[in-house]
Amino acid sequence: MTPFMLRVAEIVGTPQDQLPELDELAPMPETRISQRIATGTGADRQVAIRSLAEQLVSEANAILGQADDRLQLVDETLPHELAFSVTHAGRAARVSTTFEDGAAYGRLVGDGFESELPHELDGPDALPDLIVRLLVESGVTHPHVR
């Protein structure tokens, strides 16, 4: 199993009342204020993060098992935007890159990620924390597992 799968397995296998505090168990993913970047760089970043999201969602779903709500990865392709959402049990996080005026802008939107200024993930390394936080906040633990 990968380190990410072990992390998910620990959360799933620990009764809710024995889990550490949310920020210790599932820290907020690292973000930064959205930056204007070259369109090619923006597209490359979005594709890299999306590819990693597919891998991590598959790994988490392998741990969750058939009886659980599964993580869903939903792609959106709009005229000036590439986006995907990761959802679980009614909670969601959306990662997008918008292309306008010869530049690209990343954006993270979702439950618990509200901000006055647009923010984006600080990079692919922030994605595991995003997915784990989504799972924990949606109540994925199994209290009957010891």
Side-chain angles (χ1 to χ4, degrees), residues 14-86:
T14 304
Q16 185 75 31
D17 62 351
Q18 294 179 17
L19 288 172
E21 294 295 317
L22 176 62
D23 286 331
E24 180 183 337
L25 179 66
M28 286 296 282
E30 294 291 322
T31 62
R32 62 178 174 234
I33 295 174
S34 296
Q35 304 169 348
R36 177 187 165 112
I37 57 175
T39 57
T41 301
D44 287 347
R45 283 184 187 175
Q46 181 72 19
V47 168
I49 290 173
R50 165 54 180 83
S51 296
L52 180 58
E54 184 171 4
Q55 175 187 335
L56 295 175
V57 165
S58 294
E59 289 180 8
N61 281 341
I63 298 300
L64 291 175
Q66 297 301 321
D68 292 308
D69 285 330
R70 314 286 278 171
L71 282 165
Q72 300 293 318
L73 181 63
V74 180
D75 290 309
E76 296 176 58
T77 305
L78 304 168
H80 301 286
E81 182 179 29
L82 295 173
F84 67 88
S85 296
V86 178

Side-chain angles (χ1 to χ4, degrees), residues 64 69-72 86-92 134-135 138-140:
L64 291 175
D69 285 330
R70 314 286 278 171
L71 282 165
Q72 300 293 318
V86 178
T87 64
H88 184 264
R91 298 188 65 82
L134 186 67
L135 285 169
S138 64
V140 74

Side-chain angles (χ1 to χ4, degrees), residues 7 27-30 84 86 92-95 108-109 111 113 121 125-135:
R7 189 174 170 193
M28 286 296 282
E30 294 291 322
F84 67 88
V86 178
R94 184 175 188 267
V95 178
L108 171 64
V109 178
D111 302 319
F113 303 107
L121 287 175
D125 291 340
L127 196 56
D129 286 340
L130 175 70
I131 293 173
V132 167
R133 184 133 185 140
L134 186 67
L135 285 169

Side-chain angles (χ1 to χ4, degrees), residues 91-109:
R91 298 188 65 82
R94 184 175 188 267
V95 178
S96 69
T97 300
T98 302
F99 303 93
E100 56 186 51
D101 300 326
Y105 303 89
R107 183 107 192 248
L108 171 64
V109 178

